Amino acid sequence: MDPERERTGRHLKKGRKRRRARNTLVGAAEARRARWDLEERQPEAKKARLSTILFAENCEVTHDQLCELLKYAVLGKSSVPKPSWCQLFHQNHLNNVVVFVLQGMSQLHFYRFYLEFGFLRKAFRHKFRLPPPSSNFLADITGLQKKQIMGDLSKMVEGSLPSAGSQVSINLQNDPIIQKYGSKKVGLTRCLLTKEEMKTFHFPLQGFPDCENFVPTKCNGSITDNSPLFGLDCEMCLTSKGRELTRISLVAEGGCCVMDELVKPDNKILDYLTSFSGITKKILNPVTTKLKDVQRHLKALLPPDAVLVGHSLDLDLRALKMIHPYVIDTSLLYVREQGRRFKLKFLAKAVLGKDIQCPDRLGHDATEDARTTLELARYFLKYGPRKIAELNLEALASRQELLAAGQELRNTAEIVYQPNTSVLECLDLMGQKLLFLTQEAETSELCSARNCQTIKCLSNKEVLEQARVEIPLFPFSIVQFSFEPFSPSLTEEMNKRMRIKWTEMSTIYAGPFSKTCNLRALKRLFKSFGSIRSMTLVLETHQPHLCIQYEVLEAAQLAIESLDGILVEGACIKVQRPVTELTLDCNTLVNELEQDSENRGTIYLSGVSETFKEHLLQQSNLFLGLEAVILPKDLKSGKQKRYCFLKFKTFGSAQRALNILKGKDWKLKGRHALTPRHLHAWLRGLPPESRRPPGVRVIPPPSEQQALQALKVDHPKIAAWRWGRKIGKLYHSLGPGTLCLILLPGTKSTHGSFSGLGLMGIKDEEESTTPNMCS
């Protein structure tokens, strides 16, 4: 046994003494550990530093959240709220902000050409997923889009406002309600959401991975225009497991409330959300009704052809953990322009002429809201789409928003405190300007913004040359490179191949085993390295082999490293991945993933128990530099899985912790991590239909082969390699204390949307915390 592992993995029993001569190896190990201890305990000099341990579970950061960070980087905590998703320490020690935008690229491009993006994956410790891009990505991340709207509103507030009753400017044929339903009256069945619409708007559906523990209402009768309607509304609180049900109200078509129950959540309540729900600790304390009781009652109450009506009903059904096939959602029934939705309070006043959710009342009344949605559905059915269109709801909503916005602007002493303040305004308050470098074809609002110095170039090469000269002269710079994206069909094919590749890399073949081998014992052995998706006995060979597909790449790699070439049940087995054109470079890819800056301080552990976290925190003195404990949960049962990830501040801390946790006291299996959290979240959503049996060939479309052979400069593979290096050189020329973001905005096409990717770091921090390899 390695002396370091032996020393850290064993503790002498109390009262027992033992003396032995110090050998040089043990002395060296202790010296190294003492050095690590000293490094961890030394006070840090004050300099800007990032932490992303507040990341959401899926590691997705919205454009608004990015804007939060950029504004905070400019003004600091005294003027704007702190970012909600990460921490920026010592903002006043930040010298510059530089944002590189790689237009035309996405998270898919980054991992398809992972080896080519050498500098980016090694230099930036913090990576996160971005949602698919909007029509104006740059305006969104700088807050300019919202500010433009607010500027227009402030001018319009003083002038004439559109009237809901004005018929002159209404073109009924362009109204979204008429475009969807036509102008004639429609029956109840026409108002139901289709299965495709329910899928688009995230309603719980049978057979979906995140709904496997949901209870169906068993309403499977034939629906007609005379089927009964039931208004439904739920109130929720925030618990340790997320949002959970605290009240349900169900109203029958005649307006009678047939169910109004308070519900006690199964998990610890963190926030009662009283301002919305009206629920308090005092109200909920005596309640004994549980979610399963409500589910049982609701199933018994609803007839087979019941139609549920609600406002954003998907949230209510998810809180109930129930699946119902026949729904009318009033937030979608009353269609609004550009996919926006009217609020229930607004529809109640504009359509029904009634006031609900009054400000002088504590929280919402679930019964009132349920009854209102029912009345809105009946109004739509009684009067038809034309009558709704004639109400000119869009104009009325705009009037209401304008008045509210005008009041907000008049009440504001300092614009910096407004959530709609743009990055440009923040810079203006500091007497500074934003630098925007882009190509001639760019039409973003940034180009014409008053407080922005825009320099348009003819090519990416010219953008790069100008950046070297101009960036040092500005405190905040946005540098945009534009790349020709793949065609939609090729992007979709590349997406499928990428996901198949990661599946195959997480699959191993092991054998040969004897024909009398103990399969139960073998499953236990392979399961000890991590969660198994599937295990298949291969009988095509002379002696049996096993094909094991693991849930995470780390488990497969650990099994290969631990079992390849050892004796198992009397036979020397070989453990390897399937050899296909997609896994030929997997050894190189695994080595590079291990060196990824985000993975360097993270370890993977298998065999952890439910009390592991408590045990770990009790002995926190052994694990200096521990930043986060990531405990994945089973989507079906909600139970903690038997593996986890520990994130440390430095590689040295991670290595030392790994040695301890693999020792005799903990008896865990583990290695350094290979999959960053945002990538793990992406791969976890792998659709079953995109997998293929290992060994089946996938030939790239000819267009990609030709592009690679021609080595076109604008091909994303070549661009990744070439521009990754060029941006790396530019990054090294930046001064210490520069907050740097690399944004791949994502892509949109007729074949679908692809998420973007963000990488960020502070130059001085990244260089000082990148550890040397430990011997």
Side-chain angles (χ1 to χ4, degrees):
M1 178 180 278
D2 174 56
E4 169 70 353
R5 188 182 302 175
E6 183 175 347
R7 196 190 67 74
T8 56
R10 179 183 299 155
H11 298 276
L12 294 178
K13 291 180 182 176
K14 190 173 180 181
R16 183 177 174 183
K17 296 182 179 178
R18 179 168 57 175
R19 297 181 64 184
R20 65 177 181 182
R22 276 174 75 88
N23 64 42
T24 55
L25 284 175
V26 173
E30 287 182 349
R32 185 165 72 246
R33 186 174 180 186
R35 187 174 72 249
W36 285 340
D37 285 346
L38 185 63
E39 287 173 0
E40 294 294 344
R41 291 194 174 102
Q42 273 185 342
E44 290 184 1
K46 280 194 176 180
K47 56 186 177 185
R49 159 172 87 79
L50 277 167
S51 171
T52 52
I53 56 175
L54 300 181
F55 266 160
E57 179 61 29
N58 66 353
C59 298
E60 182 170 283
V61 175
T62 66
H63 301 152
D64 285 344
Q65 288 175 322
L66 258 186
C67 187
E68 280 178 15
L69 173 65
L70 296 177
K71 289 192 287 188
Y72 185 75
V74 173
L75 288 179
K77 63 183 177 183
S78 62
S79 302
V80 292
K82 290 182 179 181
S84 59
W85 58 282
C86 69
Q87 291 175 306
L88 174 57
F89 298 101
H90 308 307
Q91 174 274 341
N92 56 328
H93 290 264
L94 206 60
N95 295 322
N96 296 84
V97 179
V98 180
V99 181
F100 294 105
V101 179
L102 309 188
Q103 194 65 41
M105 291 195 177
S106 65
Q107 179 178 235
L108 173 62
H109 290 80
F110 184 81
Y111 283 103
R112 171 64 179 86
F113 307 120
Y114 182 80
L115 296 177
E116 283 73 27
F117 278 115
F119 163 74
L120 298 185
R121 59 185 160 82
K122 290 179 180 176
F124 293 93
R125 188 176 178 220
H126 308 291
K127 301 181 183 74
F128 49 88
R129 189 167 65 183
L130 291 169
S134 61
S135 56
N136 199 329
F137 175 75
L138 291 175
D140 283 347
I141 66 168
T142 56
L144 197 60
Q145 195 119 305
K146 286 186 179 180
K147 199 61 222 172
Q148 184 66 46
I149 294 168
M150 288 299 292
D152 293 342
L153 294 183
S154 63
K155 292 174 186 174
M156 291 174 66
V157 157
E158 306 302 330
S160 61
L161 296 173
S163 166
S166 171
Q167 302 293 315
V168 180
S169 60
I170 303 176
N171 184 346
L172 293 183
Q173 294 310 310
N174 291 335
D175 191 288
I177 289 181
I178 299 293
Q179 289 179 346
K180 180 171 181 178
Y181 297 103
S183 57
K184 295 181 180 179
K185 290 183 183 182
V186 295
L188 182 152
T189 53
R190 178 69 179 87
C191 298
L192 295 176
L193 290 183
T194 64
K195 188 171 182 180
E196 204 53 45
E197 286 175 320
M198 291 177 77
K199 183 178 177 182
T200 300
F201 295 108
H202 310 295
F203 276 77
L205 290 169
Q206 200 90 36
F208 275 56
D210 60 339
C211 304
E212 292 191 15
N213 59 339
F214 280 39
V215 176
T217 56
K218 299 296 183 186
C219 294
N220 49 14
S222 179
I223 295 294
T224 69
D225 286 343
N226 295 317
S227 292
L229 300 177
F230 291 85
L232 174 71
D233 188 65
C234 295
E235 301 298 342
M236 282 79 89
C237 68
L238 188 64
T239 74
S240 56
K241 294 289 180 69
R243 289 182 182 267
E244 291 191 49
L245 184 72
T246 52
R247 183 183 176 186
I248 173 176
S249 289
L250 189 72
V251 176
E253 202 160 351
C256 175
C257 182
V258 294
M259 184 179 182
D260 188 15
E261 293 275 0
L262 291 170
V263 186
K264 180 156 285 184
D266 293 326
N267 299 290
K268 182 181 178 182
I269 297 175
L270 304 178
D271 189 340
Y272 286 86
L273 303 177
T274 306
S275 59
F276 299 103
S277 67
I279 305 293
T280 62
K281 184 177 181 180
K282 184 179 179 180
I283 291 172
L284 215 54
N285 261 346
V287 175
T288 57
T289 304
K290 291 287 191 176
L291 178 62
K292 61 183 179 182
D293 302 320
V294 169
Q295 291 172 336
R296 189 164 51 245
H297 190 184
L298 201 58
K299 281 175 68 175
L301 203 59
L302 294 175
D305 62 340
V307 175
L308 290 180
V309 182
H311 199 80
S312 297
L313 192 56
D314 56 305
L315 302 177
D316 299 313
L317 288 172
R318 286 191 175 276
L320 284 165
K321 293 192 175 180
M322 296 189 80
I323 295 170
H324 187 78
Y326 313 125
V327 297
I328 294 175
D329 192 322
T330 50
S331 73
L332 300 169
L333 182 68
Y334 287 79
V335 190
R336 195 175 182 185
E337 292 175 357
Q338 299 175 345
R340 301 170 69 195
R341 302 194 194 189
F342 294 114
K343 292 181 178 179
L344 181 61
K345 180 182 173 74
F346 167 78
L347 288 175
K349 184 68 175 174
V351 179
L352 306 174
K354 60 188 281 189
D355 291 305
I356 64 168
Q357 300 173 1
C358 300
D360 56 346
R361 186 190 298 158
L362 183 63
H364 298 177
D365 183 333
T367 303
E368 180 184 62
D369 288 356
R371 189 174 285 119
T372 302
T373 61
L374 196 56
E375 289 174 17
L376 285 168
R378 290 170 62 196
Y379 187 98
F380 193 98
L381 291 169
K382 182 177 180 179
Y383 294 104
R386 184 179 180 85
K387 174 71 173 176
I388 308 299
E390 288 173 352
L391 291 174
N392 203 2
L393 293 176
E394 192 66 50
L396 187 59
S398 298
R399 174 186 172 86
Q400 194 177 83
E401 288 166 3
L402 286 166
L403 290 170
Q407 187 63 41
E408 186 179 356
L409 287 171
R410 284 191 288 270
N411 291 343
T412 303
E414 287 188 63
I415 196 166
V416 72
Y417 288 100
Q418 288 300 314
N420 290 321
T421 304
S422 70
V423 171
L424 286 167
E425 285 174 322
C426 292
L427 287 165
D428 197 32
L429 288 168
M430 303 293 288
Q432 298 169 341
K433 272 191 171 186
L434 182 146
L435 168 68
F436 180 39
L437 283 165
T438 186
Q439 290 194 34
E440 287 283 358
E442 177 60 42
T443 57
S444 168
E445 283 96 329
L446 268 181
C447 299
S448 55
R450 180 181 63 82
N451 199 38
C452 177
Q453 178 69 49
T454 301
I455 300 176
K456 291 195 173 184
C457 305
L458 296 174
S459 64
N460 282 337
K461 184 178 179 182
E462 191 180 337
V463 170
L464 183 72
E465 290 168 354
Q466 287 288 340
R468 289 196 185 102
V469 176
E470 300 290 341
I471 284 177
L473 307 178
F474 289 82
F476 196 114
S477 308
I478 296 178
V479 182
Q480 179 169 270
F481 299 102
S482 300
F483 301 100
E484 190 66 33
F486 278 145
S487 67
S489 58
L490 186 54
T491 302
E492 180 59 33
E493 183 61 30
M494 187 169 72
N495 182 46
K496 288 179 181 176
R497 295 205 313 275
M498 265 300 298
R499 290 177 172 233
I500 290 168
K501 176 170 184 165
W502 284 96
T503 301
E504 290 185 351
M505 285 182 62
S506 302
T507 301
I508 62 169
Y509 281 92
F513 298 102
S514 71
K515 293 177 182 177
T516 59
C517 63
N518 185 337
L519 284 176
R520 187 174 293 179
L522 287 176
K523 185 170 185 178
R524 246 191 336 264
L525 172 65
F526 285 100
K527 202 173 179 180
S528 68
F529 299 103
S531 296
I532 292 175
R533 284 191 191 274
S534 65
M535 190 169 94
T536 312
L537 190 62
V538 180
L539 299 173
E540 298 296 318
T541 50
H542 176 61
Q543 288 180 282
H545 285 68
L546 287 174
C547 174
I548 301 111
Q549 186 187 120
Y550 283 101
E551 194 172 293
V552 293
L553 179 60
E554 287 83 354
Q557 187 64 24
L558 191 55
I560 292 170
E561 293 165 349
S562 305
L563 297 180
D564 187 34
I566 71 162
L567 282 172
V568 175
E569 294 200 351
C572 182
I573 65 167
K574 184 169 183 62
V575 183
Q576 61 186 339
R577 288 187 176 87
V579 179
T580 72
E581 77 282 1
L582 296 181
T583 61
L584 286 173
D585 64 351
C586 68
N587 288 339
T588 304
L589 186 53
V590 165
N591 289 338
E592 292 300 325
L593 281 166
E594 197 166 33
Q595 298 303 313
D596 189 299
S597 59
E598 189 169 352
N599 294 330
R600 292 272 291 156
T602 306
I603 61 175
Y604 164 82
L605 296 169
S606 178
V608 299
S609 65
E610 290 184 2
T611 59
F612 169 75
K613 186 176 179 181
E614 294 171 18
H615 193 189
L616 187 77
L617 296 177
Q618 284 170 3
Q619 300 194 41
S620 57
N621 60 312
L622 294 175
F623 305 105
L624 297 173
L626 179 63
E627 286 188 322
V629 181
I630 302 157
L631 298 162
K633 292 181 180 178
D634 188 274
L635 290 176
K636 294 181 185 178
S637 64
K639 289 183 180 178
Q640 179 186 314
K641 289 184 178 287
R642 296 274 294 165
Y643 68 87
C644 75
F645 294 87
L646 303 185
K647 190 177 178 76
F648 289 87
K649 191 175 177 182
T650 66
F651 176 83
S653 305
Q655 181 63 55
R656 185 181 60 169
L658 187 59
N659 289 339
I660 294 172
L661 293 164
K662 286 166 66 179
K664 287 187 177 180
D665 278 1
W666 295 78
K667 296 180 182 177
L668 299 176
K669 292 179 180 176
R671 71 175 324 279
H672 287 280
L674 298 172
T675 44
R677 285 181 67 198
H678 68 272
L679 177 61
H680 194 205
W682 180 42
L683 297 174
R684 203 166 47 202
L686 175 66
E689 61 270 17
S690 70
R691 299 190 191 111
R692 63 165 171 148
V696 178
R697 297 191 68 217
V698 175
I699 301 171
S703 55
E704 185 181 357
Q705 290 180 331
Q706 291 163 6
L708 290 173
Q709 288 163 5
L711 294 178
K712 291 181 180 178
V713 174
D714 61 351
H715 189 284
K717 183 181 179 75
I718 307 307
W721 175 78
R722 188 186 301 272
W723 287 96
R725 293 180 65 192
K726 289 180 183 293
I727 291 171
K729 289 180 181 177
L730 187 55
Y731 174 80
H732 287 306
S733 71
L734 301 176
T738 298
L739 172 62
C740 185
L741 288 92
I742 311 285
L743 303 179
L744 288 68
T747 57
K748 267 188 174 180
S749 72
T750 52
H751 284 61
S753 301
F754 292 91
S755 300
L757 181 73
L759 305 91
M760 69 176 181
I762 297 172
K763 182 158 186 277
D764 198 30
E765 176 201 21
E766 295 298 322
E767 292 180 352
S768 64
T769 59
T770 302
N772 294 320
M773 288 293 290
C774 295
S775 55

